[in-house]
């Protein structure tokens, strides 16, 4: 018979046992509850110890449990996806050994939530023209490529095309950084921290996360509305939150340092 361990979602500051319902990862309807030690608890559910599948459904289930916990608790520290402990005693012993570190983390991130913001250009053709306008060397290189005849050498032409592509990518990266800095400056009084993540398509110039205090969501909404109106003719912004602070803490608790 396959043995179950305890899948860990997050850490909360709680003295009492909590029951979040049969929403555990894995699709078995496992109860999500807590295992605690001296006022700190890990939110867990049963999960096969030696069988773990990494897929989008699992990641989404992990996030949904943490979102449910956030509705009831002020301090929620997400734990890295895919963390499974062998027994409840292993969890209690870990909380004991790292009590000071985890207590400080819960205190420092109390009432903190994350908002994610993405930005996309409306018209990439116009953006490429802007790159050429601000980088004459790229425009000159493109003109040289377009004027080349078949007898000028295909290898040279391909080399110039590749070089120009790299130049355009570099120029777009600078534009992304400048745009992120401009947006982040609008949130300097609202957000405690910000982080730029990897973009996933050529038209996406921003994929950012902002750390804010609970209670400042309306303030954040207002700034986003102003930003959207300001750039309405050039780009589009979308944002989501409040979310768990995945971008500002990457808590790895198993294996512990001494086990690596």
């Amino acid at each position: 018979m396959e043995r179950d361990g305890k899948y860990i979602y997050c850490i909360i500051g709680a003295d009492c046992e909590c029951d979040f319902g049969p929403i555990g990862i894995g699709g078995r309807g496992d109860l999500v509850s807590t295992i605690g030690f001296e006022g700190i608890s890990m939110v867990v559910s049963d999960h096969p110890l030696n069988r773990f599948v990494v897929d989008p459904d699992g990641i989404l289930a992990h996030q949904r449990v943490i979102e449910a916990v956030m509705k009831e608790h002020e301090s929620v520290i997400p734990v890295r996806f895919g963390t499974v402990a062998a027994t409840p005693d292993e969890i209690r012993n870990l909380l004991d050994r790292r009590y000071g570190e985890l207590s400080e983390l819960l205190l420092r991130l109390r009432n903190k939530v994350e908002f994610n913001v993405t930005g996309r250009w409306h018209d990439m053709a116009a953006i490429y023209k802007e790159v050429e306008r601000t980088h004459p060397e790229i425009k000159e290189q493109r003109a040289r490529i377009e004027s080349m005849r078949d007898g000028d050498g295909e290898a040279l032409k391909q080399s110039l095309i590749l070089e120009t592509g790299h130049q355009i990518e570099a120029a777009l990266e600078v534009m992304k950084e400048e745009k992120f800095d401009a947006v982040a400056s609008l949130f300097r009084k609202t957000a405690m921290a910000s982080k730029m993540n990897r973009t996933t398509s050529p038209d996406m110039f921003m994929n950012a996360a902002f750390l804010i205090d609970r209670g400042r969501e309306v303030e954040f909404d207002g700034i986003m509305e102003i930003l959207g109106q300001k750039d309405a003719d050039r780009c589009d912004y979308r944002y989501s939150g409040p979310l768990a602070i995945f971008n500002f803490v990457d808590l790895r608790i198993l294996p512990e340092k001494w086990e690596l």
Side-chain angles (χ1 to χ4, degrees):
M1 183 176 178
E2 193 170 35
R3 180 187 167 199
D4 275 355
K6 292 293 183 180
Y7 183 91
I8 304 171
Y9 301 92
C10 56
I11 299 174
I12 60 176
D15 288 311
C16 59
E17 294 185 3
C18 303
D19 180 347
F20 299 99
I23 58 174
I25 192 171
R28 305 189 310 182
D30 288 303
L31 179 68
V32 175
S33 58
T34 55
I35 297 174
F37 174 83
E38 298 292 334
I40 299 179
S41 296
M42 289 193 183
V43 177
V44 303
S45 66
D46 288 341
H47 191 281
L49 189 58
N50 297 315
R51 177 170 57 84
F52 190 83
V53 178
V54 178
D55 60 21
D57 289 340
I59 295 173
L60 186 58
H62 179 87
Q63 294 173 344
R64 283 175 174 169
V65 170
I66 296 176
E67 289 170 3
V69 175
M70 288 175 63
K71 294 177 181 178
E72 300 182 27
H73 293 270
E74 296 178 343
S75 296
V76 179
I77 307 301
V79 172
R80 180 179 293 191
F81 173 76
T83 303
V84 184
T87 65
D89 282 342
E90 181 179 10
I91 291 176
R92 295 187 185 95
N93 291 336
L94 189 150
L95 289 172
D96 185 10
R97 289 192 297 272
R98 298 178 65 173
Y99 186 83
E101 171 195 349
L102 297 176
S103 295
E104 190 278 332
L105 196 60
L106 283 166
L107 181 62
R108 179 162 56 87
L109 296 175
R110 185 171 183 262
N111 271 326
K112 302 297 184 295
V113 292
E114 176 179 315
F115 274 76
N116 292 340
V117 179
T118 59
R120 295 180 183 272
W121 303 117
H122 286 162
D123 186 354
M124 280 306 296
I127 296 302
Y128 287 130
K129 288 182 180 178
E130 183 176 334
V131 168
E132 287 191 353
R133 187 170 63 253
T134 56
H135 295 76
E137 70 280 8
I138 293 178
K139 185 176 182 179
E140 292 173 5
Q141 189 91 305
R142 284 175 59 89
R144 180 184 177 188
I145 293 170
E146 292 170 0
S147 66
M148 293 181 72
R149 301 177 182 275
D150 293 340
D152 291 339
E154 186 62 23
L156 174 60
K157 184 175 182 179
Q158 291 302 318
S159 175
L160 291 175
I161 290 173
L162 184 61
E163 179 184 343
T164 304
H166 290 324
Q167 290 175 333
I168 292 173
E169 288 178 2
L172 288 174
E173 283 300 315
V174 171
M175 290 181 69
K176 288 178 182 180
E177 292 172 3
E178 291 175 346
K179 195 66 174 173
F180 172 70
D181 290 343
V183 172
S185 68
L186 296 176
F187 290 104
R188 62 183 180 275
K189 294 182 179 179
T190 304
M192 301 180 60
S194 59
K195 179 182 179 183
M196 182 65 166
N197 293 315
R198 183 175 61 88
T199 54
T200 57
S201 62
D203 66 324
M204 181 185 288
F205 63 84
M206 175 182 289
N207 182 18
F210 294 89
L211 181 68
I212 71 170
D213 282 312
R214 287 182 190 262
R216 306 194 75 166
E217 291 93 335
V218 174
E219 186 178 337
F220 192 94
D221 291 344
I223 296 174
M224 286 303 307
E225 183 175 354
I226 293 171
L227 184 60
Q229 293 173 352
K230 178 183 177 183
D231 289 342
D233 61 336
R234 193 175 188 213
C235 56
D236 178 56
Y237 294 96
R238 296 183 183 274
Y239 68 104
S240 57
L243 305 169
I245 52 177
F246 284 106
N247 277 283
F248 299 97
V249 59
D250 183 23
L251 185 58
R252 179 175 180 173
I253 57 174
L254 291 171
E256 293 192 79
K257 294 177 182 179
W258 60 270
E259 295 177 295
L260 296 176

